[in-house]
Amino acid sequence: MKKEYDILVIGSGLGGLVSALILAKEGLKVCVLEKNNQYGGNLQTFSRDKLIFDTGVHYLGGLSKGQNLHQFFSYLEIMDELELHQMDEDGYDKISFGDENIEYPHAQGYENFIEQLTAYFPGEKENLENYCEEIQYVCGQFPRYHVVGKDNYNEEILHLNTKRFIESVTQNKKLQSVLLGSNFLYAGDSENIPFYVHALTVNSYIQSAYKCVKGGSQISKLLIRKLRQYGAEVHKHSEVSEFIFNENDILTSVKTRDGKEYAAKKFISNIEIRSAIKLIGEERLKKSFLNRVLSWQPVSSCFSVYLVLKPQSVPNFNYNLYHYQSDEQVWNAYKYHKESWPETYMLSSTPSKHHPEYAESLTAISYMDFEEVKKWEKTVNTVAEEHERGTSYEKFKLEKAEKMIEALERKIPGLRNSIKSVYTSSPLSYRDYIGSLEGNMYGYMKSSDNPLKTMVSPRTKIDNLFLTGQSVNMHGILGVTIGAFNTCAEILGKEHIDARLTQMIKNNEKL
């Protein structure tokens, strides 16, 4: 017996869950299928030594009252239940270089952002004001960035290049590097990437920056609880292995690896776009579309080191640290020499429950090319499908962890003596758990020379199949959430979604 739904969502990453909830709220019969043991894609967390570690979401922006993500999450009815902790207002991110003792702050609130950096760059106040103004202008040009309004992209803005823009704002090389210091959030390519990617990413955090208490998985848990309240079904360990079409090339149902069949009127794919293409069948797609997608380059992957600390041994810090061996590295941070890895890293800490002035754990992440783990690419290891990758892989991870600890000790002297245990994840972990090509962090590389090349409509050539998620257009919590609303606008009509959101904003203003 195959069940029939109005909407079937394949993949439970943030884009899939948000799309499913928007549609379930409209009274549609919705089902979500997830291949893994845990829902949420990049929102997944894991537990070691009774501590929770995030795999993807280390902090969130735009969550203060009236800001865009706050409004989207309010519409999804999860905002009030999120457990959040606001990061340091005078420096939620800090940027450091080489052996310098200075940590340059990125502060919350535009005036504060300018004020904090002007203290380090006294002659640059006007340039910082111009930078901030331009960021806000560019964000305002994007559909749904301000929740409702603007129907389409301003194409001229898409071609603005980050490097050229930053160089036009200030001649000060150090300030250029500081402004680009958090480019780990879009995979470290400040030379080719369109400025809108930098602007959309940075703007959210300057508005407000928060950490999820108990990890990012609380977002997916809240979304799933809401989905069930609205009568939706959500199934894990349900990997879709086949699409079934009728003679008119309309998708009628999908089959999972365990032989179950699910039929629906419409389908949303929230899986990696290349995996979706395999399921659709290349012959059903236009050659031009196929060639375009297959020519995309995945952004870099990463290697993460998770350190469980001895009690009360390392002071907690309420910001993320982005460290570079040199100023110039900022432009192409994802390119590195194996011998001197890690040349750059992002470091964050989690406060101890009983002694919040101390950290209970640290997470350090650096870029890693898939090439470095290619020899083990045939292995798969997840909670749902456990296989060891062998001793050579364990040795590789151990050596990398050792190098990372060595680098961190230069920042936190004596750190090694404070470590209770060490855990790691490599590009293979990201590939197996998230399903991204070669374990990439944020989908595909974008270029200001040809920005439309990597932009894809949520509609596909298959009439009743839609796309969402980070491999389609913008990545990040906000980017993927906006993408999901845009996908649902294709199904329900833009006017309908706009009316719903406008009503919610009006109701909130009355409160």
Side-chain angles (χ1 to χ4, degrees), residues 338-483:
K338 270 193 218 172
E339 316 73 58
S340 50
W341 186 95
E343 294 177 352
T344 172
Y345 58 78
M346 172 193 175
L347 179 67
S348 59
S349 76
T350 307
S352 151
K353 279 181 229 29
H354 306 299
H355 300 278
E357 67 276 23
Y358 288 98
E360 63 181 15
S361 68
L362 297 177
T363 299
I365 311 172
S366 190
Y367 297 105
M368 183 170 281
D369 294 335
F370 192 75
E371 278 305 309
E372 292 212 45
V373 294
K374 205 167 171 58
K375 63 171 94 160
W376 302 286
E377 73 176 330
K378 297 276 190 283
T379 64
V380 172
N381 188 17
T382 63
V383 174
E385 200 179 337
E386 284 193 62
H387 302 285
E388 290 301 314
R389 300 197 207 268
T391 50
S392 62
Y393 178 68
E394 293 307 317
K395 183 170 174 281
F396 165 81
K397 290 206 299 177
L398 213 60
E399 283 168 5
K400 291 290 181 186
E402 185 52 43
K403 281 186 164 189
M404 179 63 89
I405 292 165
E406 212 175 287
L408 295 177
E409 275 223 291
R410 292 197 279 278
K411 197 45 92 174
I412 309 170
L415 172 65
R416 193 180 296 278
N417 300 329
S418 306
I419 297 170
K420 187 179 154 202
S421 40
V422 180
Y423 301 96
T424 56
S425 62
S426 79
L428 292 170
S429 326
Y430 287 91
R431 180 201 67 182
D432 292 353
Y433 279 98
I434 315 298
S436 58
L437 181 72
E438 297 186 348
N440 74 67
M441 288 190 281
Y442 309 125
Y444 294 90
M445 293 181 118
K446 296 169 175 64
S447 165
S448 57
D449 290 345
N450 191 356
L452 297 175
K453 183 184 174 184
T454 47
M455 285 194 162
V456 173
S457 163
R459 281 192 174 275
T460 69
K461 192 168 170 280
I462 314 297
D463 270 356
N464 61 338
L465 174 64
F466 301 82
L467 305 173
T468 202
Q470 73 166 11
S471 64
V472 185
N473 304 333
M474 267 309 279
H475 68 277
I477 297 284
L478 178 64
V480 168
T481 300
I482 288 175

Side-chain angles (χ1 to χ4, degrees), residues 53 108 163 165 197 199 210 248 337 354 369 381 443:
F53 289 94
Q108 297 181 53
K163 184 172 176 24
F165 174 74
V197 175
Y210 292 87
N248 300 320
H337 304 95
H354 306 299
D369 294 335
N381 188 17

Side-chain angles (χ1 to χ4, degrees), residues 31-186:
C31 175
V32 181
L33 300 178
E34 167 56 50
K35 70 168 184 172
N36 274 325
N37 182 53
Q38 197 183 138
Y39 300 113
N42 271 317
L43 297 168
Q44 290 175 73
T45 52
F46 65 93
S47 174
R48 295 286 183 273
D49 295 24
K50 297 185 181 153
L51 301 183
I52 289 169
F53 289 94
D54 271 303
T55 56
V57 178
H58 298 284
Y59 59 147
L60 303 161
L63 275 180
S64 288
K65 204 163 171 42
Q67 293 171 357
N68 52 12
L69 195 56
H70 185 287
Q71 292 182 316
F72 286 123
F73 279 4
S74 297
Y75 183 78
L76 298 167
E77 301 171 42
I78 65 168
M79 190 60 227
D80 294 342
E81 292 176 81
L82 275 178
E83 280 188 70
L84 299 167
H85 172 75
Q86 188 157 13
M87 298 174 75
D88 189 335
E89 290 196 49
D90 291 338
Y92 62 89
D93 280 347
K94 295 193 178 176
I95 319 298
S96 67
F97 305 96
D99 299 326
E100 283 179 26
N101 287 326
I102 304 171
E103 292 179 351
Y104 298 93
H106 287 189
Q108 297 181 53
Y110 274 101
E111 277 182 31
N112 195 20
F113 183 90
I114 293 162
E115 192 183 321
Q116 296 296 334
L117 280 178
T118 303
Y120 293 89
F121 301 96
E124 296 284 333
K125 188 172 185 190
E126 199 182 320
N127 291 338
L128 284 163
E129 285 169 350
N130 293 340
Y131 167 79
C132 291
E133 207 175 291
E134 193 64 20
I135 279 189
Q136 291 169 87
Y137 171 71
V138 166
C139 291
Q141 299 300 303
F142 271 73
R144 260 189 226 297
Y145 197 82
H146 294 312
V147 186
V148 179
K150 272 209 83 64
D151 287 356
N152 42 34
Y153 296 105
N154 168 342
E155 215 181 300
E156 193 183 316
I157 285 219
L158 301 181
H159 288 274
L160 261 180
N161 171 275
T162 304
K163 184 172 176 24
R164 286 195 291 274
F165 174 74
I166 296 286
E167 287 175 340
S168 75
V169 163
T170 175
Q171 304 290 293
N172 187 311
K173 295 271 188 240
K174 178 70 81 182
L175 180 55
Q176 290 174 3
S177 299
V178 169
L179 293 175
L180 294 168
S182 59
N183 69 12
F184 198 91
L185 297 166
Y186 49 84

